[in-house]
Amino acid sequence: MFKRILCSLIATSIISCNETVKEINDSAYYSSKADSIHAQHIENNLIPMYSVAGRVRKMSIPEMMEQDRIPGLSIAFVDNGQIAWTKHYGYASLEDSIPIASQTVFTGASLSKPVTAIAALHLVEKGLLNLDEDVNLKLKEWKVPETPLTDNEKVTLRRLIGHNAGIKNDLWSSYLPGEKVPTLNQMLAGEEPSVDPPTSVIHEPGSRVEYSNPGYSIIQKLLMDVSDDPFEPLMQSIIFDPSGMENSTFKQPIPDELMERRAVGYTEELTPYPYRLFPYLAAGGIWTTPSDLAKFMITLLNDYHKGSNTLISKEMAETVFRKNIGRYVFTLWNWGDDIVFQHYGSNQGFNCFMYGSVDKNQGIVVMTNSDNSFGLFDYIQRAVNDEYQWEYVRPEILNPVTTDLSWVTPFLGSYNWRNDEVLLTQEDNALVFQRDAEKYVLTQTGERVFVLAEIPLKISIPESVNDPLTIWEPDGYPYRTKRVDENNP
């Protein structure tokens, strides 16, 4: 059924470039003809991280959705303070053949975190919170349990925002409608009806970065305690209303009007998940649309570039996007003169990401109702980098070369790659990469560089056998590993 649906999707969702500046069956919106061209280029220019010239495997978003069995996807792109274009693909409900539309709501999962962090910084500027004081000075009823780990260093708001407060990362549970749902205090204390362990400090605060969902639930409680307001109306007044986010909520269950427009979440096998409640609101409870999150991004970037002071001051926004600060509200990368920011989200049946360039004043939000979207996200990010000339990772199309490989013998053998043992052998004048029962002939693209286009990987062999071999993975990450032998188990 899915293949039939996607074939129909391809026929109806590819919009010609001369049909612009209007919505067409709610499948797309373009602010200008140039924006429609950009959108079409991204849609049709999904290229692996590593390819060999003359053998580039290019795919479209609908084709990759069909390949990876992703039911629905929605995109909003931001350019210089406005939503430049949106595109919607596939189905919010396969069973009822309900297409994704501009107002389809998804669970934003951990995209709740940057929204919550900016609300916390807003209250810092109002004088209700302090970034660097012990949060127990403001928390009521429940407090962070004191241990010897907190004797010298304290859990602070700055550390909670940046995931280096030492809080154990338990993954909060979701609940079916009709089940008893724990309060925030019960979740933090690990008390019934919560089924999760109590929140605890397992590292000295400030000693390491370790992603923590409960850390953001502490931020949620902190916001509620200092404002004496429930979390949902607080976020409505601080974030949603000023940003113009009319299709977003932290309420659990979500309001009837949004319930009618929600996407159904699906497994990798296209089995639908039942609707669930996410009581860990600040850590992952938002229901929203790409366009609403794009409006949040626009408002925050306007505070940074223009000093609009809508969510936070220009000075505070500069601390959010400051170079070389490590993880804070977003994951940040410094690449050339630019700063690229990013955050992912994942709840049962839903994946999403927010990705932007500070200097370009551009960004993209992509949301899906699938457990199987992260590979596609990497492709879309590279297509955006390529289309808009961002100073960040772009696909590498490498020219094949042929050289004498007599030097390679000491490097042949077994290597550990993630949880696999892979084998590097030589057949004639070619290197062969074996993983499980599969053999791949590597294409040489440099003196000591080889590409495995089928996965795809790039393998860099060092000058010395004492140095690690580098396997550049499909997302561009360098994984370094040494040969496995009797002397190096």
Side-chain angles (χ1 to χ4, degrees):
M1 181 180 81
F2 187 70
K3 190 168 184 178
R4 173 180 58 81
I5 289 173
L6 263 296
C7 288
S8 174
L9 164 67
I10 293 171
T12 58
S13 68
I14 306 297
I15 310 301
S16 64
C17 293
N18 60 357
E19 296 177 292
T20 60
V21 203
K22 61 180 179 179
E23 293 189 0
I24 304 170
N25 296 326
D26 205 24
S27 64
Y29 160 79
Y30 309 117
S31 179
S32 69
K33 186 169 183 177
D35 290 316
S36 75
I37 294 172
H38 287 310
Q40 300 302 327
H41 285 176
I42 289 170
E43 178 182 271
N44 294 296
N45 195 38
L46 304 187
I47 298 174
M49 184 67 222
Y50 308 108
S51 300
V52 177
R55 290 183 271 157
V56 178
R57 183 174 179 242
K58 186 180 294 188
M59 298 183 72
S60 69
I61 289 176
E63 287 170 341
M64 188 161 282
M65 287 174 64
E66 180 175 359
Q67 170 190 281
D68 292 350
R69 296 188 294 183
I70 299 169
L73 180 146
S74 185
I75 301 176
F77 191 86
V78 167
D79 191 3
N80 197 29
Q82 66 173 354
I83 295 178
W85 55 267
T86 64
K87 293 277 287 185
H88 317 292
Y89 305 85
Y91 286 81
S93 170
L94 293 174
E95 291 71 27
D96 299 321
S97 298
I98 299 174
I100 298 288
S102 61
Q103 293 193 329
T104 301
V105 295
F106 303 76
T107 175
S110 285
L111 295 190
S112 306
K113 291 182 174 74
V115 175
T116 297
I118 295 303
L121 295 180
H122 177 91
L123 292 188
V124 168
E125 296 203 282
K126 293 294 185 183
L128 295 177
L129 288 172
N130 185 305
L131 277 168
D132 298 307
E133 74 175 7
D134 182 356
V135 294
N136 278 346
L137 298 175
K138 294 287 198 307
L139 290 171
K140 304 173 184 177
E141 301 163 349
W142 181 90
K143 293 181 182 291
V144 176
E146 296 286 352
T147 78
L149 293 169
T150 59
D151 285 348
N152 298 318
E153 296 292 339
K154 301 299 182 181
V155 174
T156 67
L157 176 57
R158 187 188 303 275
R159 288 169 172 169
L160 289 169
I161 291 174
H163 296 281
N164 69 335
I167 305 297
K168 184 181 179 184
N169 184 30
D170 293 305
L171 298 176
W172 292 129
S173 298
S174 58
Y175 297 80
L176 291 169
E179 290 185 312
K180 286 188 176 181
V181 178
T183 64
L184 179 58
N185 284 350
Q186 289 170 332
M187 292 172 61
L188 291 169
E191 298 173 350
E192 292 185 353
S194 175
V195 297
D196 297 304
T199 298
S200 59
V201 178
I202 60 171
H203 306 297
E204 184 178 67
S207 64
R208 68 179 72 183
V209 174
E210 188 170 294
Y211 193 84
S212 177
N213 285 296
Y216 267 74
S217 291
I218 297 174
I219 297 176
Q220 177 184 336
K221 176 149 179 65
L222 196 60
L223 297 181
M224 295 165 63
D225 286 351
V226 300
S227 67
D228 290 322
D229 284 327
F231 187 69
E232 301 94 311
L234 188 65
M235 298 302 290
Q236 187 75 41
S237 63
I238 295 177
I239 302 292
F240 294 163
D241 288 344
S243 300
M245 299 169 68
E246 299 177 347
N247 297 290
S248 300
T249 187
F250 278 101
K251 293 180 180 178
Q252 305 287 329
I254 61 176
D256 291 343
E257 193 267 335
L258 294 183
M259 184 72 78
E260 295 174 356
R261 299 191 270 114
R262 72 173 180 88
V264 175
Y266 289 89
T267 69
E268 294 182 14
E269 292 75 33
L270 298 178
T271 302
Y273 286 107
Y275 171 72
R276 301 187 71 89
L277 308 178
F278 305 110
Y280 43 88
L281 305 182
I286 194 172
W287 283 84
T288 186
T289 67
S291 290
D292 264 21
L293 287 174
K295 292 174 183 177
F296 166 72
M297 185 189 294
I298 288 168
T299 308
L300 182 57
L301 287 172
N302 281 344
D303 285 346
Y304 174 84
H305 286 289
K306 300 179 180 180
S308 302
N309 294 295
T310 304
L311 302 178
I312 54 178
S313 69
K314 180 177 176 64
E315 291 72 25
M316 183 65 83
E318 287 172 349
T319 71
V320 172
F321 297 120
R322 188 173 67 239
K323 283 193 175 186
N324 304 315
I325 63 170
R327 184 170 196 137
Y328 192 42
V329 175
F330 301 97
T331 298
L332 301 177
W333 291 278
N334 302 156
W335 199 272
D337 294 328
D338 197 7
I339 298 172
V340 172
F341 61 94
Q342 177 180 272
H343 210 294
Y344 284 99
S346 182
N347 270 349
Q348 196 176 68
F350 294 88
N351 288 324
C352 51
F353 78 91
M354 176 185 295
Y355 178 65
S357 162
V358 175
D359 282 4
K360 294 279 190 178
N361 201 7
Q362 294 174 326
I364 190 168
V365 181
V366 182
M367 308 188 80
T368 72
N369 55 340
S370 170
D371 277 343
N372 195 35
S373 309
F374 285 107
L376 174 58
F377 291 169
D378 287 339
Y379 278 79
I380 292 174
Q381 286 179 335
R382 289 194 294 270
V384 167
N385 297 341
D386 211 31
E387 180 65 22
Y388 288 97
Q389 298 297 292
W390 288 12
E391 288 186 294
Y392 195 55
V393 177
R394 299 180 193 170
E396 294 184 21
I397 301 175
L398 304 167
N399 293 314
V401 300
T402 301
T403 66
D404 176 48
L405 296 182
S406 59
W407 56 267
V408 82
T409 302
F411 298 93
L412 302 178
S414 296
Y415 292 83
N416 286 322
W417 177 39
R418 300 299 179 184
N419 295 321
D420 293 334
E421 185 170 315
V422 297
L423 187 64
L424 194 63
T425 61
Q426 185 176 12
E427 295 182 6
D428 299 325
N429 197 41
L431 281 186
V432 176
F433 182 94
Q434 182 172 337
R435 181 185 185 188
D436 298 325
E438 295 291 329
K439 285 187 174 182
Y440 305 92
V441 175
L442 302 179
T443 300
Q444 188 176 10
T445 59
E447 184 178 354
R448 308 179 79 88
V449 179
F450 301 82
V451 168
L452 196 170
E454 290 89 341
I455 290 182
L457 303 173
K458 182 175 72 172
I459 298 174
S460 299
I461 300 178
E463 296 281 346
S464 170
V465 292
N466 296 318
D467 294 332
L469 175 147
T470 303
I471 300 176
W472 297 85
E473 299 180 322
D475 61 357
Y477 181 84
Y479 186 88
R480 293 178 174 85
T481 178
K482 290 189 175 182
R483 195 180 66 174
V484 178
D485 56 34
E486 292 180 355
N487 299 318
N488 182 30

